[in-house]
């Protein structure tokens, strides 16, 4: 197994039942990594190690891995996925981007949509945004509940209880996934409001990046404080022992990519997967096949 850089990322983990205040998390933290060059070297070693552990995951066919990315706009979700997973065999990995739900999806329980994209045994599934949008953007904009499948006794007067119920349903669902051999790895890429502004301006000032920009992104900035509060409440309520949240500093993309790659690699390594050993009968069949080839 190829060795790789290992960060001490314990302080990025949200402890279960801990009240989260995002102002306690430094969005520019680099965890002792001195510069971009050092981070890129660490990333490369992790990409190579991740490629190896994916082979084990695939060959053992015992476990699945679900990786979630949540963040404010321009925090670097797309580029992190692109760089971190660059060495992974695409046959064993699928990325799903969750945008606004379709009319059909609204007619089902909110966990129906993501359930269709869960990883099979030996596979990695990546969610770019996820079912957590249902307790984030929908919480900031409750009007999005219109047309959704809701409990029969739903009342806007008791929205606080409604969100708590959704948190509970998410926790129960993720525990069920863990019980069935799916490792859930959840990242919140934590970018500052100032850095987001710089990245938006960068997209506007460079014609080749204009396609990345949406006027809706600027409109959502008005709700920055509401989103921070929604994230704090979500992180506090849904970081569990089996599916903890990692709050990753996202102001420096080179650091974000390095630490995310390291966490994913370390979490899969911790599964202690092994290449399957063949029985005597299977080995005898292989020997017969070898003899047939050699006799041609």
């Amino acid at each position: 197994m190829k060795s790789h850089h290992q960060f001490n990322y314990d302080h990025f983990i949200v402890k279960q039942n801990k009240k989260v205040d995002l102002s306690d998390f430094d969005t520019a933290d680099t965890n002792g990594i001195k510069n971009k060059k050092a981070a890129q070297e660490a990333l490369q070693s992790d990409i190579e190690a991740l490629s190896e552990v994916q082979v084990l995951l695939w060959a053992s066919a015992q476990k699945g891995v679900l990786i979630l990315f949540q963040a404010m706009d321009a925090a670097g979700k797309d580029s992190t996925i692109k760089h971190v997973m660059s060495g992974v065999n695409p046959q064993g990995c699928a990325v799903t981007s969750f945008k606004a739900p379709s009319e059909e999806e609204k007619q089902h329980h909110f966990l129906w949509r993501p359930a269709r994209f869960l990883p099979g045994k030996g596979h990695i599934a990546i969610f770019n945004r996820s079912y957590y949008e249902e307790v984030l953007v929908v919480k900031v904009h409750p009007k999005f509940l219109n047309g959704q499948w809701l409990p029969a006794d739903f009342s806007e007067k008791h929205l606080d209880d409604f969100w708590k119920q959704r948190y509970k349903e998410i926790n129960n669902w993720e525990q069920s996934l863990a019980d069935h051999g799916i490792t859930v790895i959840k990242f919140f890429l934590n970018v500052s409001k100032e850095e987001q502004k710089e990245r938006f301006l960068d997209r506007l000032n460079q014609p080749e990046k204009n396609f990345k920009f949406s006027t809706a992104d600027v409109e959502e900035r008005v709700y920055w404080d509401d989103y921070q509060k929604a994230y704090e409440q979500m992180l506090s309520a849904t970081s569990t022992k089996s599916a903890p949240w990692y709050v990753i500093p996202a102001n420096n993309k080179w650091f974000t990519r390095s630490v995310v790659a390291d966490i994913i690699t370390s979490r899969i390594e911790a599964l202690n997967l092994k290449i399957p050993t063949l029985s005597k009968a299977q080995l005898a069949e292989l020997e017969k096949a070898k003899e047939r080839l050699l006799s041609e």
Side-chain angles (χ1 to χ4, degrees):
M1 181 69 65
K2 187 176 287 294
S3 63
H4 62 98
H5 183 100
Q6 292 194 314
F7 293 90
N8 176 11
Y9 44 76
D10 288 351
H11 59 294
F12 296 148
I13 299 175
V14 177
K15 300 296 187 287
Q16 188 167 350
N17 298 320
K18 180 174 175 24
K19 190 174 182 348
V20 173
D21 183 340
L22 285 175
S23 66
D24 293 337
F25 293 85
D26 181 4
T27 57
D29 183 14
T30 60
N31 205 44
I33 302 298
K34 294 179 181 178
N35 51 43
K36 187 174 182 178
K37 182 174 182 293
Q40 288 175 333
E41 289 173 357
L43 174 61
Q44 190 55 44
S45 69
D46 274 303
I47 287 172
E48 293 171 10
L50 181 54
S51 178
E52 288 193 12
V53 294
Q54 189 204 9
V55 172
L56 286 179
L57 183 72
W58 176 273
S60 62
Q62 296 174 344
K63 308 280 187 178
V65 176
L66 174 61
I67 305 169
L68 309 183
F69 288 91
Q70 288 291 156
M72 297 293 287
D73 293 315
K77 295 185 302 298
D78 293 0
S79 64
T80 299
I81 293 168
K82 175 184 173 183
H83 284 81
V84 170
M85 310 308 289
S86 60
V88 167
N89 185 334
Q91 290 185 97
C93 181
V95 180
T96 304
S97 294
F98 288 85
K99 302 189 184 299
S102 67
E103 287 305 312
E104 180 189 16
E105 288 163 345
K106 287 181 183 178
Q107 300 307 310
H108 292 78
H109 188 280
F110 75 98
L111 292 173
W112 178 77
R113 175 162 66 152
R116 294 175 295 156
F117 302 103
L118 290 174
K121 290 181 178 180
H123 287 253
I124 297 172
I126 299 171
F127 288 180
N128 186 344
R129 300 191 188 278
S130 69
Y131 45 91
Y132 279 98
E133 293 292 288
E134 294 296 333
V135 291
L136 292 167
V137 65
V138 179
K139 191 171 187 181
V140 173
H141 302 288
K143 64 182 180 182
F144 291 153
L145 288 171
N146 294 335
Q148 281 199 19
W149 183 94
L150 298 171
D153 60 352
F154 172 78
S155 168
E156 289 188 11
K157 295 178 182 177
H158 304 109
L159 270 178
D160 284 348
D161 292 336
F162 173 74
W163 300 122
K164 287 176 184 176
Q165 178 62 26
R166 279 202 167 172
Y167 296 144
K168 181 180 177 181
E169 290 178 66
I170 288 171
N171 288 341
N172 289 342
W173 194 57
E174 289 178 347
Q175 184 59 55
S176 176
L177 298 182
D179 292 343
H180 285 80
I182 294 179
T183 294
V184 183
I185 308 173
K186 305 185 295 194
F187 296 108
F188 168 52
L189 306 188
N190 188 25
V191 72
S192 70
K193 191 175 184 180
E194 295 72 21
E195 180 63 22
Q196 185 196 60
K197 177 181 177 181
E198 291 303 313
R199 292 181 186 178
F200 280 165
L201 289 171
D202 185 52
R203 292 176 180 182
L204 287 167
N205 292 332
Q206 299 188 54
E208 68 275 16
K209 291 186 178 182
N210 285 174
F211 76 95
K212 289 185 174 184
F213 186 79
S214 166
T215 53
D217 295 340
V218 172
E219 290 168 11
E220 285 299 282
R221 265 178 73 83
V222 175
Y223 301 96
W224 180 274
D225 291 343
D226 294 329
Y227 272 108
Q228 295 295 292
K229 183 178 178 182
Y231 268 107
E232 288 172 345
Q233 293 173 340
M234 177 272 286
L235 292 166
S236 298
T238 61
S239 193
T240 61
K241 186 175 181 181
S242 60
W245 276 103
Y246 298 87
V247 178
I248 307 297
N251 278 18
N252 296 293
K253 288 185 178 181
W254 46 267
F255 175 73
T256 305
R257 296 163 185 168
S258 297
V259 73
V260 165
D262 192 68
I263 291 171
I264 294 172
T265 304
S266 299
R267 287 287 302 274
I268 298 177
E269 282 180 346
L271 298 175
N272 293 316
L273 302 170
K274 302 284 190 297
I275 296 288
T277 54
L278 301 183
S279 66
K280 287 183 179 180
Q282 289 172 317
L283 289 171
E285 288 296 319
L286 292 183
E287 193 59 37
K288 286 181 184 178
K290 181 180 177 181
E291 289 173 4
R292 286 184 62 182
L293 288 169
L294 290 173
S295 66
E296 287 181 0

